[in-house]
Structure formats: structure tokens, C-alpha cells
Amino acid sequence: MVIHMKRILILLLALLLSAGTLTSCNPSEPTLSGEMETAFSTEASAESFAEETTIIPPIEWPEGAPMESITTYQNPILTYQTDQAWPGYGFGDPFVMRYNGIYYLYVSTKDGSVGIKCWSSSDLVNWHYEGFCTNDPLTRGAYAPEVYYYNGYFYMYTSPAGNGHYVLRSDSPTKGFEVITDNVGMSIDGSVFMDNDGKWYFYTAGHGAMQVYHMTSPTQMKNGRPITSVSVNNGWTEGGMVVFHDGYYYITYTGNHVLSPSYRILYGVSDTSPLHFEHMKEENPLLISTSGEVLGIGHSSTVKGPDLDSYYIVYHALLDTTPNRTMNIDRIVFNGKHIEIMGPTTVPQQAPDLPDIYHRFEPGSSLKGWSLIGSLGSGRVGLSLAAESMLISKTHFAGDFTAEYNVTSIADDGRAGALFAYTDAENFGACYFSPAEQKVIIEITVAGNTTRTEVDTVHSFGEDTRFDCLQSIQIERSGRDYTFYMNDRLLYTLENSDLSGGAIGYMTKDNEASFGFIGGTEAVGGCGGKNLFKAVSTQGGYIPAYECLDALPTITLKNGQRAVFASVGDILSYRVLTAADDEYDLSILCHGIETTTAIVDVYVNGQQVGSCSLPTKRSEAVTAILRGIHLTAGQHILSLRVTEGSFHAESLTMRKGSATMPLSVTFDTDAENPCYGDGTWEIIDGALTLSSSNSYGKVLYGSPNWGDYEVEVTVTPKTSPNCGLLVRATNPGAPTFMNTWPSREDAAIATDWVIGYFVGLTENSVSIGKQSYSYREIAQADGEFKAGTAYKLKVICEGARIQVYVDGELYVDYIDPEPYMQGMIGVRACGCAAVFDDLTVS
């Protein structure tokens, strides 16, 4: 069994959380700086708590409880100050590939300069400059170089200065790339995806949508067409990349101008093919930040983490109004049809985890920690084993695991590959390549009896797979099922195997072979993330519920996401890491199992900080919000204890909060220093005015971390009304780098470029629209509102509840099942002339 400090801490926590006896039926006094709030402003009384709730021991956290020594990193990872970075240009369009256990980074070449630079890393955090991987004159201003390994060669795709594409090739990831094609044309940002069936696809930027081409060889593309559902507001769309994970194809892509703070990353998903994607409108943008310490996020790549189980998104961000860009990484979570980014972060967070077994074999490498059965071979590449030999790890995996193997060469008449779940000569699994047969052979031996499965190797372009160069195997064990991959492409799934856990290693048959990196980790399907501390700060703060430290059952919801089944007595604990002594807001998203009210007590390090009630309905989402939780800087254990009811917990979000400050804007002389503005606004007769009958614009005030408040404004539509208030608003955007008041940008283009709620008046209704760089109406009430009439519009935001009043009359009372929890306030007009006055916040 693999044992680490993190495993010891989990065991210690389990003991601590189950210790103690109940001394009072009253919830502990919340240690909050402000008023404790729930999503629905309801809280069980002490009497009902005692009468209706199963008695559960309190959580105890002894003073001085041990914390773990962890390695951290902080974005940006690389900047213009990094050794050998392009001066004044930095790390634009970063692409990271992983080969034989090492990461390789390629970035765009500074305009007017020649050559493509390369860096390497073993952990995604610490990077070593490898030099120029090519100095070919054609690479002047090379945009977005991407490199893919296939059958012994590394193929590079780049668009020099945006003038078509060229393909370069090398037998090394760090040097010797030579141009092997003429200009093959197409737009910028070429990206390759290799499907499980061996087919290749080429994605490029385009106006209105990403473009996709079939590939007939590594250098030839044909039959291009737009992916119509993959677009950024039907405008310029670039920086695409496709990955396959757990039965789904995901495409990430970028749009708007690269120098805009609202440059952003979006995604689409498909469960059928890499040609037809569903644009996830409600979840997009996937990653955006238009102000603060990080902005202008875009052009990403996605790569498997060092632990072989997690994934990370690598992206650039702007430093200023020039193309000077930094490189950042954050963990990406695939969950059914959904993607979440645990960022953007700019605070220290835990570095990507390393696997439990990590060994990069080179000639002469130490075999400490390994058992050799047979003998070493004579090869000069990697680890060479003689025929009929095995190298077996002394570390065993008792349960689920993920392992990767790299075979660097096999003799023509030999066979070689991976050992897994090895306990002895009578009980083990083998997955090996047979070059002569062009097959992958899987043998399962249990109690001396062997079953054999043969699978054809994954071929591309009708070519044989070469075995005189590196080919890799990945194996995942989940329960009794084993899933096999060749070069990260799905190969075969063995269900309900009787083979139990054991060691991993390499094996040869008939002749010698050589091997490279081998790694293994006690996690599968992204579950390894539960051991990582989640960074909570001003932005980000997403926590998948299934990554709790506790052994609770998981289920799959109708939306395809994994969730945790939680009922009375269950405790869900999570590691969180804070950079500052501050107040934080917590939201808990759940799905009901039955119509009832669930009660959840919230603890930090064993001390209760509040309680939330969740009125649940079967299969419906509900969110509770608890504000003002004080956390000191450092490591904490956040725990949810269910004291009543049951539900499926989907996710948590914890971010820095900010008390709402009273605000009064009269517009007598100016716009009172807004945080953001777009559109052609004027101050006329002491009021904020858009005069044109076809005007667009928004103006925002306050803090993006404000939580609950009451907002009021007098609004007078001057033409057919479509105007009102923005609440819980974050990340407002403009087409280019203009983020000052007053902006003269084309506000019509950016009318929906904000995340938050728009509460608007039209001729015949009051409506609440949910904005996420698009618009979706979520609630509406009939009414009659005329041009030229002044209306007093009031919005109350409390937890997940939004109430809308016009002239003192309640029109809409809506509870959002998945609410925005924080944001600024402001005014907005969409295609009409309007006058706003006397804006107040309390």
C-alpha cells in the first residue's frame, strides 16, 4: 500500500471528525464577522432542531491539529522576465505537450523575430529553457506553434505572421524541426486532434465559428467546414483545442480581440464525435477575467497532470495594452458534459500532485524500489530488458489506480509491454505489444489460469504502427473494471475482472526491448484531486463535491455530472487554502432527492461557523449561501455536516466576500467614478442619459465581491423601453482594450458582455435575465410601462432570492436554483433611449 503524509492526514481527520459526544442541541455560535445568511432566509429553531434531527456528535478539531507541508505555485508561472522570454511579448498562445513523462512548452514568436523557442518541465511549474527548436526563416513571427508526436516523429503546425500554415518535423521535441510542406493555407491557430479510431482532425480559427478539416496524412488537410455551434458571439473565434475524456469530446476555444480584457475561453462538448459540438451556453464563458490582477485570458491548451489522473489548462493573460503576455495554469475538471476551471487564480495554491510511482528510466538508472526478474538487455535507450524478463515495482496498489508505460523500442521478433496488478507469478495482468501481428495483447492470470484478448493497434492513415520508437500504454482500474489506452486513445475495457490489486512494471517476451517513463497513482477518473488543497480567493474557488475526503457514495445526475449522496450524519470535508486573513462566502449546490428541508451545519477546522437550510424537491437544483466566514491565511478543513434530510451534493464555491457599502449616486455633475462603463452616456439635467433611440450601454458601481443588497433607481425610458438594473454583475466586457469611463466603444456589440442579472422593463413586462455573455430570461411578470414615464425600480438580492419592485409593488419573487453569488450593481439600456437618476444601494 502506498502511504504518504496526505494519506496519514486523511486518517487523522476521519478520527477527529467521528470523535466527541453531543452536549447541546443548539448549533454552535457562528464565528462570523457579519450576519449569517442562508439562501432562503430561514433557519431551524433550537426546539425544532432538537425534535426533528437525529442526534449527531459534534466535529472536534484539537488545538494545534497538524497541517501538511505542501509545495505551492502562484500564477503567473512565466512572464516577460523569465529567462529567454520574448522581450515585450512574453508567452503568447502557450501550447504544452507531454511526451515520455516530460512536458514541452511552445509559444508564439515575437512579431518580426525568427525561430521558435521551447521549454521543458517535469511538474508543469518549474520550466527549463531548451533553446530554439527551429531557426527556419519561415518561422518569422510564427503564431501558435503546436507539436504532436506520431510514430517516431514530432510534427509542428504553425502560421507564420498569420499567413497560412506550414508543417515542420523532427525526431526530437526540442531541436531540429525542419519545414516539410509548402504553405497549406487556412486560417491561424492550427490544432490537431487524434481520435480513438486513428483519424486525425485539424482545427483552425475562423470568422463566426471554428473550422475543422479531415486529415489524410500528418501534412494534408481537406474538406474544411465551420463548426457552427462553436463560436464566440458569432464573431472571430480562435485558439481551439479538442480533448477526449471519459466518453466525451471537449473543445475549448477563444475569441474577441487578443488585446481586450474580455478575451475569454469557452467550450463545447459532444458524446458522439469531434465534429459536432454543443455550445454550453449557460456555462460559458469557461474562463474570463476583465479586471483585477489577471485579465485578457485566452488561447489555451489542456494537458494531463503529473499525477496521470488530473488535467490542467494552460493559458495566457495580458500584462498591459501591448501583446506582453504571461503564462498561467489552473486545474480543469471534466464532469460529464460539464467543465469547470478551478481559477483563474493569482494566489499561492498547491502545486500539481506527482504520482505515487514516478520513474524516468535512462541507461544506468538505479533500480532501487524495483525487483528484476531475468536480466538487463544491451539496448542504449531508456531501460533495456533481456528476453523473458520482468521489472516489478515494490509499491503495490491495493485498489483503484492509473498507470502509464512507455515502450521505446521492441526487437522485430519480440513482444513487450506493461505489467499490472502483479502479486505473484499466478496472479497478474499483462498488456503488451506484438509488432509482427500489429496487435495489443491483454492477458489476465488469476490463480494460474490465463485469459487472452487481442486488440488491433490504433492505426492512422492505413500505416503500420512502428515499434522501433516510443509507443505508450495507459491503464486505469476502477472497481473491477480495467480500461486500456494506447497513446492516450481508448483501446479496450475489461469488465468485472477477478484480478485484484498489485504492482506495476515492464515485461519482455521472445527478445529484448527498451522502456522509458513509468508512473502510477492511487486515483482514477479525476478522483485524485480530493487530496489537493483548493485555493479560495477573489476569483475561482470552485470545489467539486465528489472530491470530499470522506468515503461517501457518488452518483451520476441527469445532467451527467457526478455528485455525492449525503444524508443525516454524513460529513463532507474539503481542504482549502487561503492567501489572506479575510471574510469568505460559501455556496453549496445540491439536487433534491425528495420534497423536504435539509439542514447542513458548516465547520472550519472543527468549529461551527454557521448553518444552511436547503428546501429540496426531487431532482431539482437548490443552492444555499453562507456569508462572512472568517478564515485566517493558510490551510483549513471545510466540513459540511448533514443534520436533517438528504440530497445529492454537486459543488461548492468559496470566494472572498465584501460587505456591501451604502452608495448614493445622484448624477448631478458626473457619473460618480463608476467601476466600468460602455456606451455614449451624458449627464443632462442632473441625470445619466442615453439620448439616441437605438442606444446601448451599461455603467457599473461597487465591488465584484458584494453579496446581498437592495438597489433602487429612477428610470425613465424615452423610447420603447428595454432598460433597468444590473445586479450581481462581474466581468463586464468591451470589444477592445477600453475599460475606462466614458468609453466610446461600440456598446451594441458588447451589450450582453457581462456575467450577472439584468432586471429590465419592457412595454409589457418586468423580467429577470441571466447574463453570461449571452442573455436568457429566467423570470417574468406582466406589466405596462410607457416611454416618457418615470418608474422607481427596486431589486433586493438575498442569497439565491431576487425580488423586483416597481413603484413599491412586488412584481417578481424568484429563487435561482444556481445563482450568481456576488457582483456589482449598475444600470443598462439595450436599444432604447433612457434616463437614470438617484441610484442607491443599501
Side-chain angles (χ1 to χ4, degrees):
M1 175 69 70
V2 177
I3 296 187
H4 285 264
M5 278 300 297
K6 64 185 180 185
R7 313 291 198 256
I8 295 173
L9 180 58
I10 293 173
L11 295 173
L12 175 62
L13 287 171
L15 293 173
L16 294 173
L17 296 179
S18 62
T21 56
L22 185 66
T23 58
S24 171
C25 291
N26 295 312
S28 303
E29 187 70 17
T31 55
L32 305 178
S33 62
E35 183 180 359
M36 183 185 70
E37 305 170 20
T38 70
F40 309 102
S41 302
T42 59
E43 181 173 306
S45 65
E47 291 77 16
S48 65
F49 186 90
E51 293 172 358
E52 301 175 10
T53 305
T54 302
I55 295 178
I56 304 168
I59 298 176
E60 293 187 355
W61 183 267
E63 185 175 354
M67 285 285 98
E68 197 176 337
S69 176
I70 62 172
T71 301
T72 62
Y73 78 95
Q74 187 171 1
N75 284 321
I77 295 286
L78 303 173
T79 73
Y80 70 99
Q81 296 175 317
T82 300
D83 180 39
Q84 300 299 321
W86 289 110
Y89 200 75
F91 289 80
D93 312 322
F95 178 80
V96 174
M97 70 160 292
R98 184 173 173 276
Y99 170 80
N100 201 19
I102 296 293
Y103 296 96
Y104 297 94
L105 166 67
Y106 310 88
V107 299
S108 285
T109 301
K110 185 176 182 178
D111 291 337
S113 297
V114 173
I116 295 174
K117 296 183 177 182
C118 176
W119 285 259
S120 66
S121 173
S122 60
D123 58 10
L124 280 178
V125 173
N126 299 288
W127 293 89
H128 169 73
Y129 180 59
E130 295 284 352
F132 283 91
C133 59
T134 181
N135 284 296
D136 193 288
L138 278 173
T139 60
R140 182 179 298 276
Y143 288 179
E146 297 197 1
V147 176
Y148 299 86
Y149 174 78
Y150 166 69
N151 252 6
Y153 290 106
F154 298 87
Y155 292 89
M156 175 182 288
Y157 303 83
T158 187
S159 179
N163 297 316
H165 276 88
Y166 292 86
V167 184
L168 296 81
R169 189 177 70 179
S170 174
D171 58 5
S172 165
T174 60
K175 60 185 178 181
F177 280 92
E178 297 180 349
V179 176
I180 59 172
T181 66
D182 294 329
N183 191 332
V184 296
M186 298 172 294
S187 185
I188 63 171
D189 296 351
S191 183
V192 171
F193 172 67
M194 307 174 192
D195 203 358
N196 296 320
D197 58 5
K199 293 179 181 178
W200 289 33
Y201 301 90
F202 194 68
Y203 301 84
T204 68
H207 187 77
M210 293 293 300
Q211 309 286 312
V212 61
Y213 298 80
H214 294 270
M215 299 182 68
T216 56
S217 77
T219 60
Q220 295 176 314
M221 305 83 176
K222 68 174 185 177
N223 300 331
R225 65 174 182 82
I227 310 175
T228 53
S229 60
V230 177
S231 172
V232 180
N233 295 119
N234 296 315
W236 183 252
T237 305
E238 62 188 21
M241 182 179 182
V242 174
V243 296
F244 177 83
H245 183 269
D246 200 21
Y248 291 92
Y249 299 89
Y250 304 92
I251 184 169
T252 52
Y253 52 100
T254 297
N256 195 22
H257 196 279
V258 70
L259 296 186
S260 169
S262 51
Y263 199 53
R264 54 198 181 270
I265 300 172
L266 299 90
Y267 84 100
V269 65
S270 172
D271 59 2
T272 57
S273 83
L275 296 173
H276 307 283
F277 291 93
E278 175 188 354
H279 172 76
M280 304 299 288
K281 182 177 180 180
E282 295 179 26
E283 283 77 24
N284 279 312
L286 176 63
L287 197 60
I288 186 172
S289 180
T290 65
S291 62
E293 295 179 341
V294 58
L295 69 162
I297 289 171
H299 202 122
S300 66
S301 58
T302 300
V303 67
K304 185 186 295 184
D307 67 350
L308 309 177
D309 181 60
S310 60
Y311 284 79
Y312 286 82
I313 189 167
V314 184
Y315 57 93
H316 76 229
L318 290 172
L319 276 176
D320 47 42
T321 58
T322 71
N324 200 348
R325 289 159 288 181
T326 65
M327 190 185 90
N328 304 258
I329 71 166
D330 284 302
R331 192 156 70 90
I332 183 170
V333 177
F334 300 106
N335 193 354
K337 295 175 65 175
H338 300 263
I339 294 179
E340 293 285 351
I341 306 295
M342 304 184 78
T345 60
T346 56
V347 299
Q349 62 175 305
Q350 187 169 353
D353 221 355
L354 293 176
D356 300 308
I357 296 175
Y358 180 96
H359 206 111
R360 295 189 62 245
F361 288 114
E362 301 289 349
S365 292
S366 169
L367 298 184
K368 183 179 179 180
W370 297 86
S371 297
L372 176 62
I373 301 175
S375 60
L376 297 178
S378 60
R380 298 182 180 180
V381 177
L383 170 77
S384 182
L385 290 180
E388 309 298 335
S389 295
M390 295 182 180
L391 188 71
I392 304 169
S393 67
K394 293 181 179 179
T395 299
H396 286 213
F397 296 110
D400 293 350
F401 69 87
T402 300
E404 178 178 295
Y405 311 78
N406 289 272
V407 184
T408 60
S409 62
I410 305 174
D412 290 340
D413 57 348
R415 292 173 290 172
L419 286 173
F420 60 96
Y422 184 96
T423 54
D424 54 44
E426 300 290 309
N427 298 275
F428 68 94
C431 177
Y432 57 88
F433 296 127
S434 176
E437 301 172 279
Q438 287 288 295
K439 291 185 179 296
V440 179
I441 298 172
I442 300 167
E443 293 182 344
I444 305 297
T445 301
V446 178
N449 298 312
T450 300
T451 58
R452 176 185 174 104
T453 301
E454 296 184 359
V455 184
D456 291 336
T457 59
V458 180
H459 294 149
S460 294
F461 317 118
E463 300 173 354
D464 281 351
T465 302
R466 288 178 51 195
F467 288 99
D468 59 346
C469 57
L470 184 138
Q471 305 290 348
S472 66
I473 296 169
Q474 294 81 29
I475 301 175
E476 298 174 351
R477 180 192 180 192
S478 180
R480 295 180 60 189
D481 296 344
Y482 288 86
T483 304
F484 302 85
Y485 302 82
M486 179 179 174
N487 300 325
D488 286 313
R489 302 185 205 176
L490 181 62
L491 194 66
Y492 180 75
T493 297
L494 176 66
E495 298 179 342
N496 297 317
S497 172
D498 292 327
L499 186 64
S500 59
I504 65 173
Y506 284 128
M507 52 79 66
T508 61
K509 292 189 175 185
D510 306 323
N511 210 327
E512 70 175 44
S514 296
F515 305 89
F517 166 79
I518 186 171
T521 190
E522 277 189 321
V524 68
C527 294
K530 69 180 182 180
N531 296 314
L532 295 177
F533 285 89
K534 282 72 176 175
V536 296
S537 58
T538 304
Q539 300 188 75
Y542 173 81
I543 304 172
Y546 66 83
E547 289 192 354
C548 61
L549 298 171
D550 317 271
L552 296 177
T554 61
I555 59 99
T556 300
L557 302 172
K558 287 184 177 180
N559 62 8
Q561 291 189 265
R562 278 182 291 176
V564 173
F565 172 73
S567 60
V568 174
D570 287 337
I571 297 172
L572 290 75
S573 294
Y574 305 88
R575 296 173 167 182
V576 297
L577 182 66
T578 57
D581 187 333
D582 221 320
E583 310 298 316
Y584 294 84
D585 294 345
L586 172 70
S587 72
I588 307 167
L589 172 60
C590 302
H591 291 259
I593 297 175
E594 55 188 352
T595 301
T596 183
T597 297
I599 305 294
V600 177
D601 292 342
V602 180
Y603 292 77
V604 174
N605 301 340
Q607 299 297 313
Q608 187 174 354
V609 296
S611 183
C612 297
S613 63
L614 295 107
T616 62
K617 294 182 180 179
R618 183 179 298 275
S619 300
E620 293 186 6
V622 61
T623 299
I625 297 177
L626 185 65
R627 302 196 187 276
I629 301 173
H630 183 80
L631 296 178
T632 57
Q635 302 175 20
H636 303 279
I637 300 297
L638 171 69
S639 301
L640 311 179
R641 183 179 67 166
V642 184
T643 58
E644 184 175 331
S646 58
F647 51 83
H648 295 140
E650 182 177 316
S651 64
L652 295 77
T653 302
M654 197 170 199
R655 292 181 184 149
K656 177 186 177 300
S658 177
T660 304
M661 304 300 293
L663 176 68
S664 177
V665 185
T666 61
F667 303 112
D668 287 337
T669 57
D670 55 36
E672 305 288 346
N673 300 315
C675 299
Y676 174 89
D678 60 41
T680 310
W681 297 90
E682 300 174 277
I683 304 297
I684 300 176
D685 297 329
L688 184 65
T689 304
L690 278 174
S691 300
S692 171
S693 61
N694 190 34
S695 293
Y696 295 84
K698 53 186 178 286
V699 182
L700 293 171
Y701 300 87
S703 166
N705 296 108
W706 279 1
D708 294 347
Y709 41 66
E710 178 180 307
V711 189
E712 196 168 30
V713 73
T714 299
V715 55
T716 306
K718 290 299 186 180
T719 56
S720 180
N722 187 0
C723 49
L725 285 167
L726 285 166
V727 294
R728 299 261 177 91
T730 60
N731 291 300
T736 58
F737 205 109
M738 292 290 290
N739 213 18
T740 57
W741 170 265
S743 170
R744 292 296 185 264
E745 289 298 324
D746 187 349
I749 296 176
T751 183
D752 289 331
W753 290 15
V754 66
I755 297 175
Y757 299 100
F758 174 52
V759 181
L761 303 181
T762 68
E763 288 184 344
N764 52 23
S765 71
V766 180
S767 63
I768 303 176
K770 203 167 186 179
Q771 304 240 202
S772 184
Y773 279 64
S774 60
Y775 179 87
R776 177 172 59 94
E777 186 176 83
I778 57 174
Q780 179 267 342
D782 293 339
E784 185 177 346
F785 306 100
K786 300 177 180 179
T789 302
Y791 301 97
K792 184 71 74 173
L793 178 61
K794 181 172 71 174
V795 179
I796 299 174
C797 297
E798 184 178 9
R801 190 174 207 160
I802 303 173
Q803 295 173 299
V804 183
Y805 295 80
V806 181
D807 294 335
E809 180 182 350
L810 177 64
Y811 275 76
V812 182
D813 189 349
Y814 178 74
I815 294 175
D816 190 351
E818 299 185 41
Y820 297 127
M821 62 188 292
Q822 298 173 334
M824 298 175 281
I825 62 94
V827 298
R828 175 178 184 257
C830 186
C832 73
V835 177
F836 295 90
D837 204 1
D838 298 325
L839 175 66
T840 63
V841 182
S842 60

